């Protein structure tokens, strides 16, 4: 697969670069460049990232970092069986438990929420750091929801990390998951409260909590510009105003008593002038005959 010339492979994490030192230099550079492409594309183009991960895997399948990258690329592409196999391989190579939560989530993806719950209660969870334990809690709550155990999912998410006022990297996602579970259980006022708390903690826009909150508040967002770049909102307002004016009845003419009297006088004067003109015309006609 083509790789842009500006990608050198030096962009990868130093720990991964150290793992690649076991490979011949040229091969290590090729693997590193493919891993850089995986990292670049995994969010916006998971299938593209998956393609580069397969190249790296073909070149260096015995490097744990490569197996891990291949696992995440497969996971992002919803290839859960393949992802789980790669994560297991990476864990065997390193003995590290960091991948335990995402491995459990792969079980959910494969339609085995009971297995995910078993993993949530395994001894490996106690070896995870705080971020890993929160991630495991999120996966377990998701498994409960997969099994239509909404109340259990809510209880699973209730924890000191959820109650804490401090904002950590996982805070927004934890609050969001709790709000979503409350909403699914029909507890809308509480859900709104926790979506608002998720918005407060979501400093990098990792969730759509603000949109969910607006939806609960009945706020609708529309594009301000139409296809021609004109303001639809202003146009709609002007049209509505014009329509309202068109619907208003024409004001009836207002007459006062003085106006009526003046009109009567004008009509009488007009009749006098017309009669005078008729007399003068007859006199002139008689003079002409003489």
């Amino acid at each position: 697969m083509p790789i842009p010339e500006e990608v050198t492979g030096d962009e990868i994490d130093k720990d991964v670069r150290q793992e690649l030192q076991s490979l011949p230099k040229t091969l290590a550079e090729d693997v590193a460049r493919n891993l850089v492409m995986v990292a670049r594309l995994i969010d916006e183009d998971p299938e593209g990232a998956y393609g580069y991960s397969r190249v790296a895997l073909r070149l260096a399948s015995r490097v744990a970092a490569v197996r891990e990258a291949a696992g995440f690329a497969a996971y992002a592409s919803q290839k859960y069986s393949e992802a789980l196999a790669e994560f297991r391989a990476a864990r065997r190579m390193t003995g590290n438990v960091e991948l335990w939560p995402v491995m459990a989530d792969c079980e959910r993806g494969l339609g085995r929420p009971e297995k995910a719950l078993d993993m949530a209660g395994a001894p490996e969870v106690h070896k995870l750091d705080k971020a890993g334990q929160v991630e495991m809690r999120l996966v377990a709550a998701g498994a409960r929801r997969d099994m239509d155990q909404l109340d259990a999912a809510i209880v699973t998410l209730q924890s000191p990390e959820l109650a804490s006022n401090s904002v950590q990297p996982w805070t927004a996602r934890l609050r969001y998951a709790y709000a979503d579970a409350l909403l699914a259980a029909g507890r809308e006022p509480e859900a709104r409260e926790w979506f608002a708390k998720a918005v407060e903690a979501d400093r990098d826009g990792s969730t759509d909590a603000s949109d969910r909150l607006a939806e609960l508040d009945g706020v609708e967002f529309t594009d301000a510009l139409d296809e021609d770049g004109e303001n639809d909102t202003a146009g709609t307002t002007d049209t509505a105003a014009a329509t309202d004016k068109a619907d208003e009845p024409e004001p009836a003419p207002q007459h006062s008593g003085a106006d009526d009297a003046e009109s009567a006088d004008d009509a009488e004067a007009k009749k006098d002038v017309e009669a005078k003109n008729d007399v003068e015309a007859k006199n002139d006609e008689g003079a002409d005959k003489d």
Side-chain angles (χ1 to χ4, degrees):
M1 298 181 68
I3 299 177
E5 293 183 3
E6 65 269 18
V7 175
T8 64
D10 293 334
E11 301 90 341
I12 63 173
D13 184 82
K14 63 179 181 179
D15 292 335
V16 177
R17 188 181 305 114
Q18 186 172 357
E19 279 194 62
L20 295 179
Q21 288 179 354
S22 61
L23 302 174
K25 184 178 179 180
T26 302
L27 180 59
E29 290 177 354
D30 289 342
V31 173
R33 295 180 72 206
N34 278 280
L35 293 180
V36 171
M37 295 304 298
V38 172
R40 283 190 177 187
L41 298 175
I42 195 165
D43 291 328
E44 297 181 0
D45 182 11
E47 288 296 332
Y50 176 76
Y52 284 104
S53 75
R54 301 307 296 177
V55 174
L57 191 61
R58 187 172 65 251
L59 295 174
S61 61
R62 295 184 180 181
V63 177
V66 172
R67 304 301 290 264
E68 184 174 328
F72 277 110
Y75 178 79
S77 301
Q78 299 183 3
K79 298 176 174 63
Y80 298 116
S81 180
E82 190 172 326
L84 186 57
E86 296 301 338
F87 289 142
R88 285 173 174 168
R91 184 168 177 269
R92 284 195 301 271
M93 293 177 180
T94 63
N96 201 319
V97 297
E98 289 181 359
L99 296 172
W100 196 253
V102 71
M103 291 170 63
D105 206 39
C106 286
E107 295 288 358
R108 285 187 60 212
L110 292 170
R112 302 193 292 248
E114 298 88 352
K115 179 62 176 177
L117 288 176
D118 289 342
M119 293 180 68
E124 284 82 354
V125 176
H126 300 293
K127 300 177 184 179
L128 295 169
D129 60 13
K130 181 63 68 176
Q133 290 178 3
V134 171
E135 196 66 34
M136 193 71 246
R137 190 177 294 276
L138 289 169
V139 173
R144 291 292 185 188
R145 292 190 61 174
D146 293 342
M147 300 166 67
D148 293 326
Q149 300 174 1
L150 294 179
D151 291 339
I154 292 171
V155 172
T156 300
L157 293 169
Q158 292 171 346
S159 61
E161 293 81 15
L162 179 67
S164 176
N165 290 325
S166 66
V167 176
Q168 303 295 333
W170 62 78
T171 302
R173 294 178 59 239
L174 182 59
R175 292 178 179 179
Y176 181 95
Y178 188 59
D180 196 41
L182 288 169
L183 188 60
R187 295 161 61 175
E188 186 171 316
E190 294 173 85
R192 192 208 173 282
E193 176 186 352
W194 281 96
F195 275 126
K197 290 182 178 181
V199 171
E200 292 175 1
D202 195 359
R203 296 169 179 171
D204 58 357
S206 60
T207 73
D208 64 347
S210 59
D211 293 339
R212 299 292 299 277
L213 182 61
E215 183 180 349
L216 286 176
D217 288 342
V219 177
E220 295 183 3
F221 297 99
T222 57
D223 291 335
L225 299 178
D226 60 16
E227 294 180 357
D228 297 328
E230 296 177 354
N231 193 311
D232 283 342
T233 304
T236 302
T237 303
D238 292 343
T239 303
T243 303
D244 290 342
K245 285 188 176 182
D247 290 340
E248 292 178 1
E250 289 284 344
Q254 301 295 317
H255 299 292
S256 64
D259 292 337
D260 292 340
E262 185 176 349
S263 297
D265 291 342
D266 289 345
E268 189 66 30
K270 184 177 180 181
K271 288 181 179 180
D272 291 343
V273 171
E274 289 176 351
K276 183 179 178 180
N277 289 339
D278 289 343
V279 171
E280 289 178 354
K282 288 180 179 180
N283 290 339
D284 291 343
E285 193 175 317
D288 292 339
K289 289 180 178 180
D290 291 341

